[in-house]
Amino acid sequence: MSEPRLVEVRRNVLKQNDVIARSLREQFREAGVFVVSLVSSPGSGKTTFLEKTLTLLQPQYRVAALVGDLATENDAVRLARSKAPVKQITTGTLCHLEAAMVQNALSDWDLHQLDFLFIENVGNLVCPSSYDLGESLRLVLMSVTEGEDKPLKYPTIFNSADVAVITKNELAAAVEFDWETARKSIESVRPGMKIFRLSAKTGEGMTEYLEFLGQQLRERRSVVLR
Amino acid sequence: MHELSIAMGIVDAAMDEARQRGVQVSAVHLRLGALSGVVKDALLFCYEVACQDTPLAGSRLIVEDVPVVVFCSRCNDTRVLGSVQSFSCPECNTPTMDVRKGKELEVFALEVEE
C-alpha cells in the first residue's frame, strides 16, 4: 500500500448553516423586520423577559416570537398571553437552534407584517454561540442571581453577542450583586458592549431598553430606504 | 453539547471530498479557533462516534488550535490574545473587538491513500 499523502481542502464545517443564515438575514432586511435573538442560561428569566418585551412593544409595533425549547411547549403558552403571534420550535435533544429550524418555522409567516421578530434560543450559554441565525442583534441575558463572573465563564457567547441585559434587578440587593464587577467582566470579554440593567418583573429599566430597540429599528429602516 | 453534530459535519465534509477524489481518508486535519464555541476534547470523542459505520471509521482527527488574533489600533498591528477572557491588546492594554482570527472551524487537509 502506498504512503498516505496530504491533500489540501477548504471546508467550513458550519457552511450549510451560514449559507441559510445569510439568506435569512437578506429576507429580514428586505422585509424590514428587526430580528433579535436571545441567549441565556436556563432559569435566567428569558421567557418572563420576552413576555414583558412583547407586551410593552405591542401597542406601538407589530411583534412576534419564535421559541426554542427542548421538549415542552410551556414557553410558547406563556408567551401567547402577550397576544403576539408565537411559534414553538421543539428541538428534541438538540441544545441550540440552527438557521434551518428558523427558516422552517418562518415558512408560513409573512415577515412584511412584522416590525420585530424575537428568537428565543434554548437555555444554554455554550452551543448557541456557533450558530448564526441571521439575526440583526444577538442579546445575551443574565440575571443578578447568576453571579458577576458569568461573562468570564462563558466568554465566547458574550463575545458573540451585541447587547447584554442583566435582569432580576429587584433581587440585586438580596444577593449582594456587585454591578461594577459585572460591568468589568462584560467589558473584558466584549469591549464596548451595551448593557441594560432592568427588572422584567417590576418593569424598572425596561423603558430605556425598549427605546433602544425602537432606535435600532428606525436606523435599520433608514439604511434600507437609502 | 453540540460537538456530535459538529463532528458529523466534519465527517460529511471529509467523505464528500474523498468521494470526489476517489481516495480513502486516514486522517482529517481541522483548524479550531478559540472562539469557535467548540470544545476540543468533546469533539475528539464525538469524532470517533460520528465515524462509525462510515468509510472514515478508524480515521484520526488532528486538531490545530487557532488562538484569537486581534488588531490593535493603537499599536497598528495584529496581536495574539493570551486568553478569551480579556479582549485587550497584550502589549498596550487597549480594548479591541477587531477579531482577525479565532473563529475557524475548518477542515483544511486530509491524509489520504489511493
Side-chain angles (χ1 to χ4, degrees), chain A residues 38-44 46 68 70 93-97 120-129 131 138-141 150 154 157, chain B residues 1-3 37:
Chain A
L38 267 72
V39 288
S40 84
S41 307
S44 64
K46 240 184 349 296
L70 292 173
T93 56
L94 205 63
C95 49
H96 60 270
L97 290 180
E120 181 185 331
N121 216 314
V122 180
N124 183 334
L125 279 182
V126 181
C127 311
S129 64
Y131 297 88
R138 185 180 281 187
L139 187 156
V140 60
L141 187 75
K150 198 99 192 196
Y154 299 94
I157 195 98
Chain B
M1 243 286 277
H2 63 310
E3 278 77 7

Side-chain angles (χ1 to χ4, degrees), chain B:
Chain B
M1 243 286 277
H2 63 310
E3 278 77 7
L4 183 58
S5 49
I6 299 282
M8 287 163 74
I10 294 170
V11 171
D12 283 344
M15 280 203 307
D16 189 39
E17 292 286 341
R19 213 178 299 123
Q20 287 175 28
R21 292 176 158 81
V23 290
Q24 274 282 336
V25 175
S26 55
V28 175
H29 291 251
L30 179 83
R31 268 191 205 107
L32 186 63
L35 278 179
S36 65
V38 174
V39 180
K40 183 167 142 181
D41 287 341
L43 183 65
L44 289 170
F45 172 75
C46 290
Y47 181 77
E48 263 182 58
V49 179
C51 282
Q52 276 171 20
D53 303 319
T54 77
L56 265 79
S59 68
R60 288 171 304 140
L61 179 65
I62 299 162
V63 176
E64 178 186 301
D65 292 299
V66 182
V68 180
V69 176
V70 293
F71 183 80
C72 174
S73 55
R74 191 163 166 201
C75 301
N76 197 27
D77 206 351
T78 53
R79 303 283 184 216
V80 177
L81 287 191
S83 149
V84 291
Q85 290 175 326
S86 176
F87 278 76
S88 300
C89 173
E91 302 291 327
C92 73
N93 223 16
T94 304
T96 173
M97 269 299 289
D98 189 350
V99 176
R100 299 293 171 93
K101 275 186 190 169
K103 295 185 175 172
E104 294 79 358
L105 186 53
E106 180 189 54
V107 175
F108 69 95
L110 300 172
E111 274 172 40
V112 302
E113 287 158 18
E114 308 300 326

